[in-house]
Amino acid sequence: MINIKNLNKYYSNTKVLNNISIDIKKGEIFAIVGHSGAGKSTLLRCINGLEDYADGILLVNNKEIKNLKKDELREFRKNIGMIFQHFSLIQRKTVFENISLPMQLWGYKKEEISKKVNDLLALVGLEEKKDAYPSQLSGGQKQRVAIARALTLDPEILLCDEATSALDPNTTTSILNLLKEINEKLNITIVIVTHEMEVVKQIAQKALLLEHGNIIGFDD
Ligand code: ADP
Ligand code: ADP
């Protein structure tokens, strides 16, 4: 599903990803672990087409991302959901409105949006919070909203960038359990970037260790 071969990435003349090769299969939960600055977020941004790379091959569903034209890239990115450490919710919009946003941007009909958002609210267990604002939610609840929003366009891949780093250990476990449930129920491939070994232990089927842009270990 995601095939990376000999990928290199530079910021000006600093190499931040060095000769990275990874194969991630459909339905896997795959972790990329390493200290801050290792290149984890950069790698995720390459996978979802937000970041260009110097050379190497990066295929998602057998398509080379850097060859995609602008409108193809937009279509491609529908297939990839993403969640972040600080949730990236819009503060002046309700839970329901936050989750609706991607479907609104893609011009879905009101009834389709409403059905999908209600289904996702049930999946993440936040039905009774649909009219609340982000400031009225706990960290774990905010991440549940972000997860629901990431799933609205039925992506095959979910990228998680330090998605539990702002949460306490119990909340982390509950979010990881939700991600496992989503992986099993919806057969979504999940790629998790984290600096926390505990997260890897709890959820990952495969993990690789990244340091200064190099893969220094692999565990499967
Ligand atoms: P991680 O996610 O593992 O913390 P990052 O991918 O954010 O690592 O960063 C990898 C390296 O690239 C770091 O040295 C960081 O400072 C640098 N970096 C990240 N983004 C940029 C950017 N937009 N421009 C220049 N350097 C960057
Ligand atoms: P994280 O550690 O959560 O991965 P960072 O705080 O390293 O994220 O980076 C936050 C943002 O700043 C990112 O968009 C990244 O691309 C950018 N960035 C990080 N390091 C640099 C840098 N050295 N020069 C320019 N931009 C950077």
Side-chain angles (χ1 to χ4, degrees), residues 155-211:
E156 288 184 286
I157 299 169
L158 180 63
L159 304 179
C160 310
D161 192 351
E162 298 284 2
T164 56
S165 300
L167 306 175
D168 64 53
N170 288 336
T171 311
T172 292
T173 298
S174 78
I175 292 295
L176 295 177
N177 286 338
L178 176 61
L179 292 175
K180 278 189 224 170
E181 186 186 333
I182 286 165
N183 167 259
E184 283 162 19
K185 273 193 188 159
L186 308 177
N187 195 28
I188 291 184
T189 306
I190 298 184
V191 183
I192 289 186
V193 149
T194 181
H195 68 278
E196 298 170 303
M197 217 46 220
E198 192 49 41
V199 167
V200 180
K201 281 190 209 150
Q202 282 188 49
I203 192 172
Q205 295 155 354
K206 291 185 184 170
L208 68 76
L209 191 58
L210 200 63
E211 201 174 287

Side-chain angles (χ1 to χ4, degrees), residues 48 68-82 97-110 112-113 116-117 149-155:
N48 75 3
L68 297 177
K69 298 194 185 69
K70 212 173 169 187
D71 52 334
E72 290 172 327
L73 189 62
R74 196 169 121 87
E75 193 64 38
F76 162 80
R77 296 200 59 222
K78 259 178 112 166
N79 199 26
I80 301 187
M82 192 153 179
E97 290 164 346
N98 266 283
I99 300 172
S100 307
L101 265 180
M103 292 184 85
Q104 278 178 357
L105 292 174
W106 278 90
Y108 284 84
K109 291 200 199 80
K110 223 176 160 180
E112 282 178 291
I113 295 178
K116 186 78 188 180
V117 174
R149 183 183 54 187
L151 298 177
T152 47
L153 303 176
D154 297 320

Side-chain angles (χ1 to χ4, degrees), residues 8 22 24 57 60 62 74 87 181 194-195 198 210:
N8 292 304
I22 308 175
I24 302 175
I57 297 170
V60 176
N62 295 315
R74 196 169 121 87
F87 325 118
E181 186 186 333
T194 181
H195 68 278
E198 192 49 41
L210 200 63

Side-chain angles (χ1 to χ4, degrees), residues 89-93 95 132-138 141-142:
L89 301 179
I90 297 181
Q91 297 303 320
R92 61 193 161 72
K93 289 191 184 286
V95 166
Y133 287 87
S135 61
Q136 299 169 304
L137 303 177
S138 69
Q141 288 171 335
K142 286 180 199 169

